[in-house]
Amino acid sequence: MTPCDDTVLAHHRPAATMWGKGGRDYDHVSFAVSEALAHAAQRLNAREGEHILDIATGTGWSARNAARRGAVVTGVDIAPQLLAAAADLSAHTWPPIEFRLGDAEKLPFDDGAFDGVISTFGVMFAANQAEAAAELARVCRSGGRLVLATWAPDGAVAKFFGVIAQDANSSFFH
């Protein structure tokens, strides 16, 4: 599984490479926003045996939050290194979580396959927001639940990422 796999759309491959560079260390970022991640999982209210999808799972923090409630969880991300970290960090979780390479704009699942869908500070980075939103709705069953945690597009965090993006050729990304 590489970002060049057809599973990840071409316009997301540079982002997959960038996000993948953080690998397991990205879990420290998740820890910093862990209260928001826990709140999102509580709002999802996953139940035992339900099928839950965590889109842009990163190191799997939200996937683990849902699995702790007994849900059958699948986590997808565009970065193989993050998926490897998620699998390692989640090895103790029951029920076990399935981690798969996947792109929010072209999810590899059937219509209505999940009782709930969650994305915490992840799907908001999809290049085509309308397509990503349509995919989230498509894979969530009718009457299912969808929970997103995002930063405001014009807020301080977005401005911070804008500064980092301007420096994309720096050694930080290489």
Side-chain angles (χ1 to χ4, degrees):
M1 284 189 303
T2 67
C4 295
D5 183 306
D6 287 341
T7 304
V8 177
L9 298 175
H11 61 272
H12 284 151
R13 291 179 191 152
T17 299
M18 188 218 28
W19 288 114
K21 288 184 184 285
R24 186 183 178 117
D25 288 336
Y26 190 78
D27 204 55
H28 298 295
V29 175
S30 296
F31 178 77
V33 295
S34 61
E35 289 182 22
L37 304 179
H39 180 76
Q42 288 169 351
R43 298 297 296 172
L44 181 65
N45 193 26
R47 297 177 190 103
E48 187 173 344
E50 284 189 323
H51 291 265
I52 302 296
L53 177 63
D54 179 16
I55 300 175
T57 193
T59 59
W61 198 289
S62 292
R64 287 189 297 279
N65 282 339
R68 285 184 186 106
R69 299 181 66 122
V72 178
V73 181
T74 302
V76 297
D77 203 285
I78 60 172
Q81 300 89 335
L82 289 176
L83 291 169
D88 184 48
L89 291 164
S90 304
H92 68 282
T93 306
W94 190 261
I97 301 168
E98 177 187 7
F99 291 103
R100 294 178 58 175
L101 191 66
D103 193 303
E105 294 176 23
K106 186 181 175 187
L107 293 168
F109 306 107
D110 292 336
D111 295 358
F114 296 94
D115 299 298
V117 176
I118 188 170
S119 183
T120 50
F121 308 111
V123 74
M124 66 187 201
F125 292 108
N128 185 332
Q129 293 289 299
E131 188 62 32
E135 281 293 279
L136 271 65
R138 181 184 67 77
V139 300
C140 190
R141 71 167 170 81
S142 179
R145 298 171 313 284
L146 171 64
V147 174
L148 301 177
T150 66
W151 291 300
D154 58 349
V157 175
K159 290 176 185 170
F160 169 75
F161 278 109
V163 169
I164 288 178
Q166 291 173 359
D167 199 26
N169 292 321
S170 75
S171 62
F172 178 80
F173 293 103
H174 301 289

